[in-house]
Amino acid sequence: GSIVNDGCSGIDSCAHFGLVDMIIAENTCDGKKKMYEILDDFIPTYVIDLPQRPDTDIALQYFLQELESLKTELESFTGNEITSTKLLDRIKESNEIRKLLHQLYCERKRDPSPISGVDVLKIMQKQFFLSPTEFKDILKMVLEEIEHIQPEQESNTKPRIMIAGCPLSGGNTKVPKIIEERGGVIVCEESCTGTRSFWDLVDEDENKDPMLSLSQRYINIPCSCMSPNKKRLESVVDLAQEFNVDGVIYYTLQFCHGYNIEAYNVQKELKKAGIPMLSIETDYSDSDIEQLGVRIDAFMEMIS
Amino acid sequence: GSIVNDGCSGIDSCAHFGLVDMIIAENTCDGKKKMYEILDDFIPTYVIDLPQRPDTDIALQYFLQELESLKTELESFTGNEITSTKLLDRIKESNEIRKLLHQLYCERKRDPSPISGVDVLKIMQKQFFLSPTEFKDILKMVLEEIEHIQPEQESNTKPRIMIAGCPLSGGNTKVPKIIEERGGVIVCEESCTGTRSFWDLVDEDENKDPMLSLSQRYINIPCSCMSPNKKRLESVVDLAQEFNVDGVIYYTLQFCHGYNIEAYNVQKELKKAGIPMLSIETDYSDSDIEQLGVRIDAFMEMIS
């Protein structure tokens, strides 16, 4: 259960917290940031402060210093030294995974798409549970299989949908399922469990401090916590065009002010580009499945 | 009306926006920060980024740089140069007001208090509308009057209440009125329309950059946007003791995640100090007045 009234479902307590030794968190939104203060009573929780206007030199310096403090904390907590060499190795390994994810998403640009959005989401959710090596192996296996799929001709009549907004974390497939069970196909997710987790690579330049490369990569993620957030507005339109979608379903978890209010500007930009958008706000419960279904049906009928 | 679903009442649109030429805002909470992006379409809106872990050197540097950028923006917008001399003059003037407010709050420590909380709140709300000179004159007049008040003996049986939490901005006196109409007396407000606006002075040291003095003063405000926020926890307990309160009513506007979740830690600290707390979450509507009244009655009966 949750100790907060009318709080975001994303910060409800999770049964798996008991399995971890340390939580590394960040000041992205009000709900999460304050929840971490309480979590710290139960599990050591280290919170990184994230500047929310990311485009100045001092913001980058500030964030770099925050990551340096985290590094010191991790070294003391684990007893392992974090060297530049080791860090660069891990950066390269993560970039390899990012490139495989790019390949996976590239396959979805095919018309018809060879894989359902629900299946991709289930894969994406696994990256937060599996080790990098295991996840890489699974990705290679899936890619191998997908490349040989020749989908039935009929399926290219399905409306191509992009989901944009809040993360869809472990176990949460409610909205994607509603969309695909009612005849749509999700071909892209602009979210932290979608493109934002892999779209940009970390710089592998060996003559550069890898901590700086990490800071640059992470401070540039166009999360709705950033303000102003032109980069996200551009990215939503670019992705919608690149994946040739018929419409965007904008998904927010209830009471998530950042994504909720940003819907206004996203819709404005998509409208300019001639791409229809449906905004839905929901939580993890089953109670609104039918109601959402009716709205999503109407939207997909409109864009077909 | 509001374009955001389930958003904080504090960010609902205000009819007075049409009267201003420029809005200066800050990244304190998700709702406000995203609202400013939309407001900027209508009125030039300048948003200052505020680091949310205020205790490091780099956070101060970052915030100082943000204020420097604001200064440049203001100079270009108004055509007036902001010199250190002028700035120091204004700092001294604002400190004078802060000292008068300290005097006003000091009078409320008397038992019985010579002024009602609703009256003080109405005065506090005026500081955001009046010029510093006008506000200073009003404060002096009120203080003059209060110092000679000899309250009836019977009133010292009223429970002494502190309100802690969200700001109570212009026109909003709902909860204080409920408390005082039902027999309590509010002797202190730990909020941005209470102590936080004047408690600490800005350093007047003439050998120091006044921009640095301003940065130090403002980054140290223990708003619930800060995390971790030990300073606020200490401040709530200190104020409750200093004003000799019987109980704290913790007030949050609906969907304000920061104050809402922080209620948990505030209650924990107050409990340690043996001070009872009632947490209420409400909005600007009249619909819950009776319901809140019943809860507040029960609380005041308990602490009397």
Side-chain angles (χ1 to χ4, degrees):
Chain A
S2 172
I3 61 151
V4 51
N5 297 323
D6 299 330
C8 161
S9 327
I11 62 165
D12 278 352
S13 66
C14 164
H16 301 297
F17 282 143
L19 301 171
V20 301
D21 295 315
M22 185 185 184
I23 294 173
I24 299 168
E26 77 311 291
N27 277 357
T28 47
C29 71
D30 296 339
K32 280 163 74 182
K33 150 177 101 174
K34 301 314 277 188
M35 171 197 64
Y36 296 136
E37 292 176 14
I38 296 176
L39 264 182
D40 190 42
D41 285 354
F42 306 95
I43 301 164
T45 301
Y46 188 87
V47 180
I48 306 160
D49 193 17
L50 180 65
Q52 283 157 41
R53 192 211 295 250
D55 299 326
T56 61
D57 283 345
I58 181 110
L60 181 64
Q61 281 170 44
Y62 182 65
F63 187 57
L64 175 58
Q65 180 119 353
E66 284 290 298
L67 290 193
E68 292 286 356
S69 304
L70 169 66
K71 185 178 155 206
T72 309
E73 181 77 17
L74 278 175
E75 286 179 329
S76 119
F77 190 80
T78 62
N80 296 324
E81 197 195 347
I82 300 176
T83 64
S84 293
T85 321
K86 284 193 220 165
L87 213 48
L88 198 62
D89 284 348
R90 292 289 82 76
I91 286 173
K92 286 178 182 164
E93 187 176 25
S94 296
N95 276 346
E96 270 183 62
I97 292 178
R98 294 190 179 104
K99 288 172 196 164
L100 290 170
L101 287 171
H102 265 280
Q103 275 186 45
L104 174 63
Y105 273 60
C106 201
E107 293 291 334
R108 304 170 80 188
K109 292 184 191 168
R110 282 161 52 183
D111 190 11
S113 167
I115 186 166
S116 81
V118 173
D119 284 344
V120 172
L121 179 61
K122 283 180 183 166
I123 294 168
M124 295 304 283
Q125 291 175 345
K126 284 280 179 291
Q127 74 184 299
F128 305 110
F129 294 95
L130 297 177
S131 72
T133 325
E134 284 172 304
F135 185 61
K136 208 156 57 180
D137 289 346
I138 287 185
L139 271 182
K140 283 181 182 161
M141 219 174 59
V142 171
L143 278 166
E144 175 79 16
E145 202 178 316
I146 285 180
E147 278 161 12
H148 299 98
I149 285 182
Q150 291 301 331
E152 300 164 32
Q153 189 55 26
E154 53 152 336
S155 58
N156 67 355
T157 57
K158 290 183 175 179
R160 294 171 66 87
I161 303 288
M162 178 167 93
I163 291 189
C166 284
L168 291 149
S169 51
N172 178 11
T173 52
K174 183 172 83 167
V175 171
K177 269 192 182 156
I178 299 176
I179 296 170
E180 299 201 324
E181 280 168 8
R182 289 175 182 250
V185 57
I186 299 157
V187 293
C188 184
E189 300 83 18
E190 182 269 345
S191 89
C192 289
T193 41
T195 51
R196 280 203 285 275
S197 74
F198 69 86
W199 204 253
D200 295 330
L201 302 182
V202 179
D203 193 349
E204 295 181 9
D205 184 347
E206 304 198 356
N207 299 315
K208 193 165 139 187
D209 174 11
M211 290 295 286
L212 178 63
S213 304
L214 286 172
S215 305
Q216 287 170 328
R217 162 66 171 83
Y218 284 101
I219 206 177
N220 274 316
I221 296 176
C223 171
S224 80
C225 71
M226 294 302 178
S227 179
N229 206 8
K230 288 247 153 72
K231 212 182 153 201
R232 178 165 179 237
L233 301 182
E234 287 161 12
S235 150
V236 172
V237 175
D238 286 352
L239 287 170
Q241 286 168 338
E242 191 171 338
F243 284 83
N244 193 26
V245 306
D246 298 303
V248 171
I249 292 187
Y250 194 93
Y251 165 89
T252 46
L253 283 168
Q254 235 175 350
F255 313 118
C256 172
H257 302 327
Y259 283 105
N260 185 338
I261 305 182
E262 198 151 281
Y264 178 85
N265 279 329
V266 170
Q267 185 140 35
K268 217 166 66 171
E269 289 305 307
L270 284 170
K271 201 170 182 179
K272 277 189 214 158
I275 301 159
M277 176 181 123
L278 171 71
S279 187
I280 57 176
E281 195 182 359
T282 184
D283 58 14
Y284 296 158
S285 81
D286 289 349
S287 60
D288 60 355
I289 288 183
E290 284 309 313
Q291 184 204 352
L292 290 178
V294 172
R295 293 184 60 208
I296 289 169
D297 267 349
F299 179 69
M300 292 201 296
E301 199 181 308
M302 189 190 86
I303 64 178
S304 286
Chain B
S2 171
I3 61 153
V4 49
N5 297 324
D6 300 329
C8 162
S9 326
I11 62 166
D12 278 353
S13 65
C14 165
H16 301 296
F17 282 143
L19 301 171
V20 302
D21 296 315
M22 184 185 183
I23 294 173
I24 300 169
E26 77 311 290
N27 277 355
T28 47
C29 72
D30 296 339
K32 281 164 73 182
K33 148 177 103 175
K34 300 315 274 188
M35 171 198 63
Y36 296 136
E37 293 176 14
I38 297 176
L39 265 181
D40 191 41
D41 284 356
F42 305 95
I43 301 164
T45 301
Y46 188 86
V47 180
I48 306 160
D49 193 17
L50 179 65
Q52 283 157 40
R53 193 212 293 253
D55 299 326
T56 61
D57 283 345
I58 181 113
L60 182 63
Q61 281 171 44
Y62 181 65
F63 188 57
L64 176 57
Q65 180 119 351
E66 284 290 298
L67 290 194
E68 292 285 356
S69 306
L70 169 66
K71 185 178 156 209
T72 309
E73 181 77 16
L74 278 174
E75 286 179 329
S76 118
F77 191 80
T78 62
N80 296 323
E81 197 195 345
I82 300 175
T83 64
S84 292
T85 320
K86 285 194 220 164
L87 213 49
L88 198 61
D89 284 348
R90 293 289 83 77
I91 286 174
K92 285 177 183 165
E93 187 177 25
S94 296
N95 277 347
E96 269 182 62
I97 294 180
R98 292 189 182 107
K99 287 171 198 165
L100 290 170
L101 288 170
H102 266 279
Q103 276 184 46
L104 174 63
Y105 273 61
C106 201
E107 292 292 335
R108 305 170 80 190
K109 290 183 192 170
R110 282 161 53 184
D111 188 13
S113 168
I115 187 167
S116 80
V118 172
D119 285 343
V120 173
L121 179 61
K122 283 179 182 166
I123 295 168
M124 296 304 285
Q125 289 175 347
K126 284 282 177 289
Q127 74 183 301
F128 305 109
F129 294 95
L130 298 177
S131 73
T133 324
E134 286 172 301
F135 187 60
K136 209 156 55 180
D137 290 345
I138 286 186
L139 270 183
K140 282 180 182 162
M141 219 172 60
V142 171
L143 278 166
E144 176 79 16
E145 201 178 316
I146 285 181
E147 278 161 11
H148 298 97
I149 285 182
Q150 292 300 333
E152 300 163 32
Q153 189 53 30
E154 53 150 339
S155 58
N156 69 355
T157 57
K158 290 183 175 180
R160 295 172 65 87
I161 303 288
M162 178 168 94
I163 292 190
C166 284
L168 290 150
S169 51
N172 178 11
T173 52
K174 184 172 84 168
V175 170
K177 268 192 183 157
I178 299 175
I179 295 170
E180 299 201 324
E181 280 169 7
R182 291 179 180 248
V185 57
I186 300 158
V187 294
C188 183
E189 302 81 18
E190 182 271 343
S191 88
C192 290
T193 43
T195 51
R196 280 202 285 274
S197 74
F198 69 87
W199 205 253
D200 294 331
L201 302 182
V202 180
D203 193 349
E204 295 181 10
D205 184 347
E206 304 198 356
N207 300 313
K208 193 166 140 185
D209 175 10
M211 292 295 285
L212 178 63
S213 304
L214 286 172
S215 306
Q216 286 170 330
R217 161 68 171 84
Y218 285 99
I219 206 177
N220 273 316
I221 296 176
C223 171
S224 80
C225 70
M226 296 301 178
S227 181
N229 206 9
K230 287 248 154 72
K231 213 183 152 200
R232 178 166 180 237
L233 301 183
E234 285 161 13
S235 151
V236 173
V237 176
D238 286 351
L239 288 169
Q241 286 169 338
E242 193 171 336
F243 285 82
N244 195 24
V245 307
D246 298 305
V248 171
I249 293 188
Y250 193 95
Y251 166 90
T252 46
L253 284 167
Q254 234 173 351
F255 312 120
C256 172
H257 302 328
Y259 283 105
N260 185 337
I261 305 182
E262 199 151 280
Y264 178 84
N265 279 329
V266 171
Q267 184 139 36
K268 218 168 64 171
E269 290 305 308
L270 284 170
K271 201 171 181 178
K272 277 188 215 160
I275 301 159
M277 176 182 126
L278 170 71
S279 188
I280 58 177
E281 196 181 359
T282 183
D283 58 15
Y284 296 159
S285 81
D286 289 347
S287 62
D288 59 356
I289 287 183
E290 284 308 313
Q291 185 204 351
L292 290 178
V294 173
R295 292 184 61 209
I296 289 170
D297 268 348
F299 179 67
M300 292 200 297
E301 199 182 309
M302 189 189 86
I303 63 178
S304 289

